[in-house]
Short mmCIF file of all heavy atoms in Angstrom, two decimals:
data_model
loop_
_atom_site.label_atom_id
_atom_site.label_comp_id
_atom_site.label_asym_id
_atom_site.label_seq_id
_atom_site.Cartn_x
_atom_site.Cartn_y
_atom_site.Cartn_z
N GLN A 1 120.71 129.17 340.05
CA GLN A 1 121.37 130.40 339.62
C GLN A 1 122.86 130.14 339.36
O GLN A 1 123.51 129.37 340.08
CB GLN A 1 121.23 131.48 340.69
CG GLN A 1 119.79 131.85 341.01
CD GLN A 1 119.69 132.79 342.19
OE1 GLN A 1 120.65 132.99 342.92
NE2 GLN A 1 118.52 133.38 342.37
N ARG A 2 123.36 130.81 338.33
CA ARG A 2 124.76 130.70 337.99
C ARG A 2 125.59 131.63 338.86
O ARG A 2 125.30 132.82 338.97
CB ARG A 2 124.95 131.07 336.50
CG ARG A 2 126.41 131.11 336.03
CD ARG A 2 127.03 129.74 336.00
NE ARG A 2 128.40 129.79 335.52
CZ ARG A 2 129.27 128.79 335.59
NH1 ARG A 2 128.90 127.65 336.16
NH2 ARG A 2 130.48 128.90 335.12
N GLY A 3 126.63 131.08 339.53
CA GLY A 3 127.57 131.89 340.28
C GLY A 3 128.83 132.13 339.47
O GLY A 3 128.87 131.86 338.26
N GLU A 4 129.85 132.62 340.13
CA GLU A 4 131.09 132.94 339.41
C GLU A 4 131.78 131.69 338.90
O GLU A 4 132.20 131.62 337.75
CB GLU A 4 132.03 133.73 340.32
CG GLU A 4 133.28 134.23 339.61
CD GLU A 4 134.11 135.14 340.48
OE1 GLU A 4 133.60 135.60 341.53
OE2 GLU A 4 135.28 135.39 340.12
N ASN A 5 131.90 130.68 339.76
CA ASN A 5 132.57 129.44 339.36
C ASN A 5 131.74 128.21 339.69
O ASN A 5 132.26 127.10 339.69
CB ASN A 5 133.94 129.33 340.05
CG ASN A 5 134.89 130.42 339.62
OD1 ASN A 5 135.13 130.59 338.43
ND2 ASN A 5 135.42 131.16 340.59
N SER A 6 130.48 128.40 339.98
CA SER A 6 129.63 127.28 340.37
C SER A 6 128.18 127.65 340.15
O SER A 6 127.85 128.75 339.72
CB SER A 6 129.86 126.90 341.84
OG SER A 6 129.46 127.96 342.69
N TRP A 7 127.30 126.72 340.49
CA TRP A 7 125.86 126.94 340.42
C TRP A 7 125.28 126.86 341.82
O TRP A 7 125.71 126.04 342.64
CB TRP A 7 125.21 125.88 339.53
CG TRP A 7 125.47 126.08 338.07
CD1 TRP A 7 126.58 125.68 337.37
CD2 TRP A 7 124.61 126.71 337.12
NE1 TRP A 7 126.46 126.03 336.05
CE2 TRP A 7 125.26 126.67 335.86
CE3 TRP A 7 123.36 127.32 337.21
CZ2 TRP A 7 124.70 127.19 334.72
CZ3 TRP A 7 122.80 127.85 336.06
CH2 TRP A 7 123.46 127.79 334.83
N ARG A 8 124.31 127.73 342.10
CA ARG A 8 123.61 127.71 343.39
C ARG A 8 122.20 127.17 343.19
O ARG A 8 121.49 127.60 342.26
CB ARG A 8 123.55 129.11 343.99
CG ARG A 8 124.88 129.71 344.34
CD ARG A 8 124.71 131.00 345.15
NE ARG A 8 123.90 131.97 344.42
CZ ARG A 8 124.39 132.83 343.54
NH1 ARG A 8 125.69 132.82 343.26
NH2 ARG A 8 123.61 133.70 342.94
N VAL A 9 121.79 126.28 344.07
CA VAL A 9 120.46 125.70 344.03
C VAL A 9 119.76 126.06 345.33
O VAL A 9 120.17 125.63 346.41
CB VAL A 9 120.50 124.17 343.86
CG1 VAL A 9 119.09 123.61 343.77
CG2 VAL A 9 121.30 123.79 342.62
N GLU A 10 118.73 126.87 345.21
CA GLU A 10 117.94 127.28 346.38
C GLU A 10 116.73 126.36 346.52
O GLU A 10 115.97 126.18 345.57
CB GLU A 10 117.47 128.73 346.22
CG GLU A 10 118.58 129.76 346.09
CD GLU A 10 119.22 130.09 347.42
OE1 GLU A 10 118.64 129.70 348.47
OE2 GLU A 10 120.28 130.73 347.42
N CYS A 11 116.57 125.79 347.71
CA CYS A 11 115.45 124.91 347.99
C CYS A 11 114.66 125.45 349.18
O CYS A 11 115.07 126.43 349.82
CB CYS A 11 115.94 123.49 348.32
SG CYS A 11 116.99 122.77 347.05
N GLU A 12 113.54 124.83 349.45
CA GLU A 12 112.77 125.21 350.62
C GLU A 12 113.52 124.76 351.87
O GLU A 12 113.55 123.59 352.21
CB GLU A 12 111.38 124.55 350.56
CG GLU A 12 110.54 125.02 349.39
CD GLU A 12 109.22 124.26 349.28
OE1 GLU A 12 109.02 123.31 350.07
OE2 GLU A 12 108.42 124.59 348.40
N GLY A 13 114.19 125.70 352.53
CA GLY A 13 114.89 125.38 353.77
C GLY A 13 116.34 124.98 353.61
O GLY A 13 116.99 124.64 354.61
N SER A 14 116.89 124.99 352.41
CA SER A 14 118.29 124.62 352.24
C SER A 14 118.85 125.27 350.97
O SER A 14 118.12 125.69 350.08
CB SER A 14 118.46 123.10 352.18
OG SER A 14 117.76 122.57 351.07
N ARG A 15 120.18 125.34 350.93
CA ARG A 15 120.89 125.89 349.78
C ARG A 15 122.08 125.00 349.45
O ARG A 15 122.75 124.50 350.37
CB ARG A 15 121.38 127.30 350.09
CG ARG A 15 122.24 127.94 349.00
CD ARG A 15 122.77 129.29 349.43
NE ARG A 15 121.68 130.24 349.63
CZ ARG A 15 121.88 131.47 350.10
NH1 ARG A 15 123.08 131.87 350.46
NH2 ARG A 15 120.85 132.29 350.24
N HIS A 16 122.33 124.76 348.17
CA HIS A 16 123.39 123.84 347.77
C HIS A 16 124.18 124.44 346.61
O HIS A 16 123.66 125.24 345.83
CB HIS A 16 122.79 122.49 347.35
CG HIS A 16 121.85 121.94 348.36
ND1 HIS A 16 122.25 121.28 349.49
CD2 HIS A 16 120.48 122.01 348.43
CE1 HIS A 16 121.19 120.93 350.21
NE2 HIS A 16 120.11 121.37 349.58
N GLN A 17 125.44 124.05 346.50
CA GLN A 17 126.30 124.50 345.42
C GLN A 17 126.88 123.31 344.69
O GLN A 17 127.18 122.27 345.29
CB GLN A 17 127.44 125.37 345.95
CG GLN A 17 127.05 126.80 346.28
CD GLN A 17 128.25 127.63 346.62
OE1 GLN A 17 128.89 127.41 347.65
NE2 GLN A 17 128.57 128.59 345.76
N GLY A 18 127.06 123.46 343.38
CA GLY A 18 127.67 122.42 342.58
C GLY A 18 128.51 123.02 341.47
O GLY A 18 128.15 124.06 340.90
N ARG A 19 129.63 122.38 341.19
CA ARG A 19 130.44 122.83 340.05
C ARG A 19 129.68 122.60 338.75
O ARG A 19 129.86 123.34 337.78
CB ARG A 19 131.77 122.09 340.05
CG ARG A 19 132.62 122.35 341.30
CD ARG A 19 133.78 121.39 341.40
NE ARG A 19 134.73 121.58 340.30
CZ ARG A 19 135.68 120.70 340.00
NH1 ARG A 19 135.77 119.55 340.69
NH2 ARG A 19 136.53 120.94 339.02
N ARG A 20 128.86 121.60 338.74
CA ARG A 20 128.01 121.31 337.58
C ARG A 20 126.61 120.97 338.09
O ARG A 20 126.44 120.46 339.21
CB ARG A 20 128.55 120.15 336.75
CG ARG A 20 129.95 120.36 336.18
CD ARG A 20 129.99 121.47 335.16
NE ARG A 20 131.32 121.65 334.57
CZ ARG A 20 132.25 122.46 335.06
NH1 ARG A 20 132.01 123.17 336.17
NH2 ARG A 20 133.43 122.59 334.47
N ILE A 21 125.61 121.24 337.25
CA ILE A 21 124.22 120.94 337.59
C ILE A 21 123.63 120.06 336.50
O ILE A 21 123.89 120.26 335.31
CB ILE A 21 123.38 122.24 337.68
CG1 ILE A 21 123.88 123.14 338.80
CG2 ILE A 21 121.90 121.93 337.88
CD1 ILE A 21 123.60 122.61 340.18
N VAL A 22 122.83 119.08 336.91
CA VAL A 22 122.08 118.26 335.96
C VAL A 22 120.59 118.41 336.23
O VAL A 22 120.12 118.14 337.34
CB VAL A 22 122.47 116.77 336.05
CG1 VAL A 22 121.66 115.94 335.05
CG2 VAL A 22 123.96 116.58 335.82
N ILE A 23 119.85 118.85 335.23
CA ILE A 23 118.40 118.92 335.32
C ILE A 23 117.83 117.57 334.85
O ILE A 23 118.00 117.20 333.69
CB ILE A 23 117.83 120.05 334.43
CG1 ILE A 23 118.47 121.39 334.79
CG2 ILE A 23 116.31 120.12 334.57
CD1 ILE A 23 118.20 121.86 336.17
N ALA A 24 117.22 116.84 335.75
CA ALA A 24 116.64 115.54 335.41
C ALA A 24 115.23 115.46 336.00
O ALA A 24 114.87 114.49 336.67
CB ALA A 24 117.53 114.41 335.94
N THR A 25 114.45 116.49 335.73
CA THR A 25 113.14 116.64 336.37
C THR A 25 112.02 115.90 335.64
O THR A 25 110.87 115.93 336.08
CB THR A 25 112.79 118.13 336.48
OG1 THR A 25 113.13 118.79 335.25
CG2 THR A 25 113.58 118.78 337.60
N GLY A 26 112.34 115.23 334.53
CA GLY A 26 111.38 114.34 333.90
C GLY A 26 110.18 115.04 333.29
O GLY A 26 110.23 116.19 332.87
N SER A 27 109.07 114.31 333.25
CA SER A 27 107.85 114.81 332.64
C SER A 27 106.64 114.39 333.46
O SER A 27 106.75 113.53 334.34
CB SER A 27 107.72 114.29 331.20
OG SER A 27 107.67 112.88 331.18
N SER A 28 105.50 115.00 333.16
CA SER A 28 104.25 114.69 333.84
C SER A 28 103.14 114.52 332.81
O SER A 28 103.21 115.11 331.72
CB SER A 28 103.86 115.82 334.80
OG SER A 28 104.83 115.98 335.80
N PRO A 29 102.09 113.76 333.13
CA PRO A 29 100.99 113.61 332.17
C PRO A 29 100.33 114.95 331.85
O PRO A 29 100.12 115.78 332.74
CB PRO A 29 100.01 112.68 332.92
CG PRO A 29 100.85 111.95 333.91
CD PRO A 29 101.91 112.93 334.34
N ARG A 30 100.02 115.16 330.58
CA ARG A 30 99.32 116.38 330.16
C ARG A 30 97.86 116.31 330.62
O ARG A 30 97.17 115.32 330.39
CB ARG A 30 99.35 116.51 328.64
CG ARG A 30 100.73 116.75 328.05
CD ARG A 30 100.64 116.97 326.55
NE ARG A 30 101.95 117.00 325.94
CZ ARG A 30 102.71 118.09 325.87
NH1 ARG A 30 102.28 119.22 326.38
NH2 ARG A 30 103.91 118.03 325.29
N ALA A 31 97.41 117.36 331.26
CA ALA A 31 96.03 117.40 331.77
C ALA A 31 95.05 117.87 330.71
O ALA A 31 93.86 117.51 330.76
CB ALA A 31 95.94 118.28 333.01
N GLY A 32 95.50 118.69 329.78
CA GLY A 32 94.62 119.17 328.71
C GLY A 32 93.40 119.92 329.21
O GLY A 32 92.35 119.90 328.58
N GLY A 33 93.53 120.59 330.36
CA GLY A 33 92.42 121.35 330.91
C GLY A 33 91.50 120.57 331.83
O GLY A 33 90.58 121.13 332.42
N PHE A 34 91.73 119.26 331.97
CA PHE A 34 90.91 118.43 332.86
C PHE A 34 91.49 118.44 334.27
O PHE A 34 92.67 118.75 334.48
CB PHE A 34 90.84 117.00 332.33
CG PHE A 34 90.06 116.86 331.05
CD1 PHE A 34 90.70 117.01 329.83
CD2 PHE A 34 88.70 116.62 331.07
CE1 PHE A 34 90.00 116.90 328.64
CE2 PHE A 34 87.98 116.51 329.89
CZ PHE A 34 88.63 116.66 328.67
N ARG A 35 90.67 118.10 335.25
CA ARG A 35 91.08 118.01 336.64
C ARG A 35 90.84 116.59 337.14
O ARG A 35 89.79 116.00 336.88
CB ARG A 35 90.29 119.00 337.51
CG ARG A 35 90.42 120.45 337.07
CD ARG A 35 89.49 121.35 337.87
NE ARG A 35 88.10 120.87 337.87
CZ ARG A 35 87.25 121.04 336.85
NH1 ARG A 35 87.65 121.65 335.74
NH2 ARG A 35 86.02 120.59 336.93
N GLU A 36 91.81 116.08 337.88
CA GLU A 36 91.66 114.74 338.43
C GLU A 36 90.53 114.73 339.47
O GLU A 36 90.38 115.67 340.25
CB GLU A 36 92.97 114.31 339.08
CG GLU A 36 93.21 112.82 339.01
CD GLU A 36 94.66 112.46 339.24
OE1 GLU A 36 95.20 112.85 340.29
OE2 GLU A 36 95.24 111.79 338.37
N SER A 37 89.73 113.67 339.45
CA SER A 37 88.62 113.55 340.38
C SER A 37 88.30 112.07 340.55
O SER A 37 89.03 111.21 340.07
CB SER A 37 87.39 114.30 339.86
OG SER A 37 86.81 113.60 338.77
N ASP A 38 87.17 111.80 341.25
CA ASP A 38 86.80 110.39 341.42
C ASP A 38 86.20 109.80 340.15
O ASP A 38 85.87 108.62 340.11
CB ASP A 38 85.80 110.23 342.59
CG ASP A 38 84.53 111.05 342.38
OD1 ASP A 38 84.44 111.81 341.39
OD2 ASP A 38 83.62 110.92 343.23
N ARG A 39 86.09 110.62 339.09
CA ARG A 39 85.60 110.12 337.81
C ARG A 39 86.55 110.41 336.66
O ARG A 39 86.29 109.97 335.53
CB ARG A 39 84.23 110.74 337.50
CG ARG A 39 83.14 110.35 338.47
CD ARG A 39 81.76 110.68 337.92
NE ARG A 39 81.56 112.12 337.79
CZ ARG A 39 80.50 112.68 337.21
NH1 ARG A 39 79.56 111.92 336.69
NH2 ARG A 39 80.37 113.99 337.16
N VAL A 40 87.66 111.09 336.94
CA VAL A 40 88.60 111.46 335.89
C VAL A 40 90.02 111.08 336.32
O VAL A 40 90.50 111.51 337.38
CB VAL A 40 88.54 112.97 335.59
CG1 VAL A 40 89.59 113.35 334.54
CG2 VAL A 40 87.15 113.36 335.11
N GLY A 41 90.67 110.29 335.49
CA GLY A 41 92.07 109.95 335.70
C GLY A 41 92.91 110.64 334.64
O GLY A 41 92.51 110.71 333.48
N ILE A 42 94.08 111.15 335.03
CA ILE A 42 94.97 111.83 334.10
C ILE A 42 96.29 111.09 334.07
O ILE A 42 96.99 110.99 335.08
CB ILE A 42 95.18 113.30 334.52
CG1 ILE A 42 93.85 114.05 334.48
CG2 ILE A 42 96.20 113.98 333.61
CD1 ILE A 42 93.92 115.47 334.98
N GLY A 43 96.60 110.56 332.89
CA GLY A 43 97.81 109.77 332.75
C GLY A 43 97.58 108.32 333.14
O GLY A 43 96.54 107.97 333.72
N PRO A 44 98.54 107.46 332.80
CA PRO A 44 98.40 106.02 333.09
C PRO A 44 98.72 105.70 334.54
O PRO A 44 99.13 106.57 335.31
CB PRO A 44 99.43 105.40 332.16
CG PRO A 44 100.51 106.44 332.07
CD PRO A 44 99.80 107.77 332.09
N GLY A 45 98.53 104.45 334.91
CA GLY A 45 98.95 103.98 336.22
C GLY A 45 97.95 104.24 337.32
O GLY A 45 96.73 104.08 337.15
N LEU A 46 98.45 104.66 338.49
CA LEU A 46 97.62 104.78 339.68
C LEU A 46 96.44 105.71 339.48
O LEU A 46 95.37 105.50 340.07
CB LEU A 46 98.46 105.27 340.86
CG LEU A 46 99.53 104.30 341.39
CD1 LEU A 46 100.28 104.93 342.53
CD2 LEU A 46 98.89 102.99 341.83
#
């Protein structure tokens, strides 16, 4: 959330403030309606 002169970040169990915020949350494999199981893998790697 934007404050008057800073940004507030609410987390589970903690709160933080920053003069600037960087969103670097990346990406995740697209599931396309499928569910991971013992016969279905979604995305590369593990």
Side-chain angles (χ1 to χ4, degrees):
Q1 301 173 346
R2 175 69 178 168
E4 186 174 346
N5 296 305
S6 65
W7 287 83
R8 296 190 302 273
V9 182
E10 300 282 347
C11 305
E12 296 175 355
S14 62
R15 175 185 296 175
H16 310 279
Q17 281 187 293
R19 298 168 65 194
R20 300 294 182 269
I21 296 290
V22 180
I23 305 297
T25 43
S27 60
S28 298
R30 294 184 188 275
F34 291 89
R35 302 173 308 281
E36 211 162 56
S37 73
D38 59 355
R39 296 195 294 173
V40 177
I42 298 175
L46 292 179

